[in-house]
Amino acid sequence: MTGSTPTSLVDRFQRGLDAPICLTWELTYACNLACAHCLSSSGRRDPRELSTEECMAVVDQLEAMQVFYVNIGGGEPTIRADFFDLVDYATSHSVGVKFSTNGSRITDPVARRLAANDYVDVQLSLDGATPAVNDALRGPGTYATVLRAMEHLAGAGISGFKLSVVVTRDNASQLDDFAALADRYGAQLRLTRLRPSGRGAEVWDRLHLTATQQRALYDWLVAHGEGVLTGDSFFHLGAYGDPLPGLNLCGAGRVVCLIDPVGDVYACPFTIHEDFRAGNVRQPGGFPEIWRHADLFAELRQPLSAGACASCGQFDSCRGGCMAVKFFTGLPLDGPDPECVRGLGEASLAHAVPAPRPSADHSRRRGGPGDAPPAPVTFAAPRRSRSCDEDPLAGPGAGPPSVAPCPT
């Protein structure tokens, strides 16, 4: 190789690619749950949401860029009335869809419809291998809801759908149980890291892993990682020994990014903050212009600086950890991760600046993100006092005159 040619996959990814490998697209902030760790503080719809036509225009741009697939989320994306129209449009335009859902709308007919499309992958969120652990975080009844959705998917002949787990202090001892649950329904287990983003900032101190749990997680992934998806969630554990499966690099603005429901583009799904906003797809040139020419992305694609980690000797193993976790705990981006396996981040937390807050809170409640427990999953239709009580997509002024408008 010549001196100008990247010598490794990480080197090439660090400089950015012509199109994102993994694009997350949150279609709506509307959600029928209020999970305590929701990274986008979802609950209420934003009335500025991209229209069906605008979403289809973005799909056209992704197709032209040869983006292989998108991760669709929210909020609860299936709440959008045009959800399946958008899924069908994307897959018919060579853009595969993986969507994350709480499972509450995965009925038997929906499962059969999903089974008919080879370019759709379903990811169900579950954060406890028992109802007590899961429902404490996601809301009463959510464990049973996910199992019912898994039964529908398996019954429709869908195999390999994902069971996605955010690893917390409360469920870290249940990894074997999660794996067994996934195996029972022919699913694939996906483990992700808890980040202090959105409402997750309110529970991070209580729920992020202890040092002992981090080591146990590393050992478990070494033993089972070949069949478990992790993405780039746990590369901060690399300093323990051999690299774990997944990308050993923060991919923000390099190979990943986020489009939010109103079209704002952020460096990654965990940094919904003005400091990491690169543009909006409604601006001239749309998404391709932002991905290729945004000043923020150009800055992120510069070679990583070891900064305060330079003296550690393990920088090549962990790359300083997760940018979002550092940012939302008030630590410098060129310093150690707060969960640094050598304890350097914990020492830095003592001198951290006040942690920034996410740019917006879409929670249904009026108080702070931590002032109420998760909302239960309900299927009975309550007495309608506001338009959004019946339709989470309803915006201000929706519904007949006798119905009070929804808050924004």
Side-chain angles (χ1 to χ4, degrees), residues 22-214:
C22 180
L23 171 66
T24 297
W25 189 353
E26 294 182 346
L27 289 181
T28 184
Y29 286 125
C31 191
N32 56 332
L33 301 186
C35 299
H37 61 330
C38 178
L39 63 91
S40 58
S41 297
S42 291
R44 291 177 291 122
R45 170 190 178 270
D46 191 310
R48 301 169 298 159
E49 256 178 27
L50 296 176
S51 67
T52 303
E53 293 72 21
E54 287 175 317
C55 288
M56 289 178 174
V58 172
V59 170
D60 292 340
Q61 295 169 1
L62 300 180
E63 180 185 19
M65 296 176 72
Q66 296 183 318
V67 172
F68 181 65
Y69 77 96
V70 294
N71 287 312
I72 288 180
E76 173 53 42
T78 62
I79 283 178
R80 276 191 65 138
D82 60 358
F83 172 73
F84 279 107
D85 292 333
L86 294 175
V87 168
D88 291 343
Y89 188 83
T91 57
S92 67
H93 286 73
S94 305
V95 179
V97 171
K98 176 191 295 183
F99 73 93
S100 298
T101 174
N102 58 40
S104 59
R105 290 171 178 254
I106 304 297
T107 61
D108 184 58
V110 167
R112 292 197 301 270
R113 178 171 182 173
L114 292 169
N117 192 328
D118 292 336
Y119 299 98
V120 177
D121 191 16
V122 187
Q123 180 168 284
L124 293 165
S125 297
L126 188 73
D127 294 319
T130 57
V133 173
N134 177 81
D135 293 6
L137 194 62
R138 303 187 63 85
T142 53
Y143 181 88
T145 296
V146 171
L147 260 62
R148 183 164 50 246
M150 293 174 74
E151 290 171 357
H152 290 318
L153 293 173
I158 300 175
S159 62
F161 61 88
K162 309 301 183 287
L163 183 64
S164 182
V165 176
V166 178
V167 184
T168 69
R169 193 171 300 183
D170 291 346
N171 67 24
S173 63
Q174 298 183 323
L175 298 181
D176 287 336
D177 296 328
F178 282 120
L181 187 61
D183 288 344
R184 185 190 313 165
Y185 291 97
Q188 185 173 19
L189 181 62
R190 178 176 181 263
L191 301 180
T192 64
R193 184 180 179 186
L194 177 70
R195 268 90 167 189
S197 305
R199 288 197 293 268
E202 303 297 321
V203 299
W204 192 81
D205 285 340
R206 177 173 65 85
L207 290 179
H208 80 92
L209 301 185
T210 66
T212 299
Q213 287 176 322
Q214 287 194 75

Side-chain angles (χ1 to χ4, degrees), residues 169-356:
R169 193 171 300 183
D170 291 346
N171 67 24
S173 63
Q174 298 183 323
L175 298 181
D176 287 336
D177 296 328
F178 282 120
L181 187 61
D183 288 344
R184 185 190 313 165
Y185 291 97
Q188 185 173 19
L189 181 62
R190 178 176 181 263
L191 301 180
T192 64
R193 184 180 179 186
L194 177 70
R195 268 90 167 189
S197 305
R199 288 197 293 268
E202 303 297 321
V203 299
W204 192 81
D205 285 340
R206 177 173 65 85
L207 290 179
H208 80 92
L209 301 185
T210 66
T212 299
Q213 287 176 322
Q214 287 194 75
R215 185 57 190 254
L217 171 62
Y218 174 85
D219 291 340
W220 193 89
L221 288 172
V222 168
H224 302 88
E226 186 174 337
V228 177
L229 298 177
T230 59
D232 62 355
S233 286
F234 303 111
F235 66 91
H236 71 292
L237 301 179
Y240 274 137
D242 294 334
L244 294 170
L247 179 62
N248 182 29
L249 174 74
C250 172
R254 301 178 177 93
V255 297
V256 304
C257 70
L258 166 78
I259 301 176
D260 83 348
V262 302
D264 284 337
V265 179
Y266 294 90
C268 93
F270 309 109
T271 55
I272 304 177
H273 187 276
E274 188 61 30
D275 285 7
F276 296 98
R277 180 181 176 274
N280 188 285
V281 299
R282 287 172 167 140
Q283 70 191 47
F287 179 76
E289 176 69 18
I290 296 168
W291 179 259
R292 292 166 179 159
H293 302 296
D295 291 341
L296 172 65
F297 289 170
E299 180 181 349
L300 290 172
R301 291 164 188 169
Q302 296 301 309
L304 286 172
S305 169
C309 295
S311 61
C312 170
Q314 296 292 333
F315 180 74
D316 287 342
S317 298
C318 73
R319 299 280 169 161
C322 175
M323 177 179 72
V325 178
K326 287 187 279 190
F327 181 75
F328 284 119
T329 51
L331 295 181
L333 299 187
D334 64 350
D337 190 295
E339 291 185 304
C340 166
V341 299
R342 304 192 66 177
L344 301 177
E346 185 177 354
S348 298
L349 284 173
H351 307 287
V353 301

Side-chain angles (χ1 to χ4, degrees), residues 1-8 11 15:
M1 292 185 178
T2 64
S4 61
T5 302
T7 58
S8 71
D11 287 336
R15 290 163 172 80

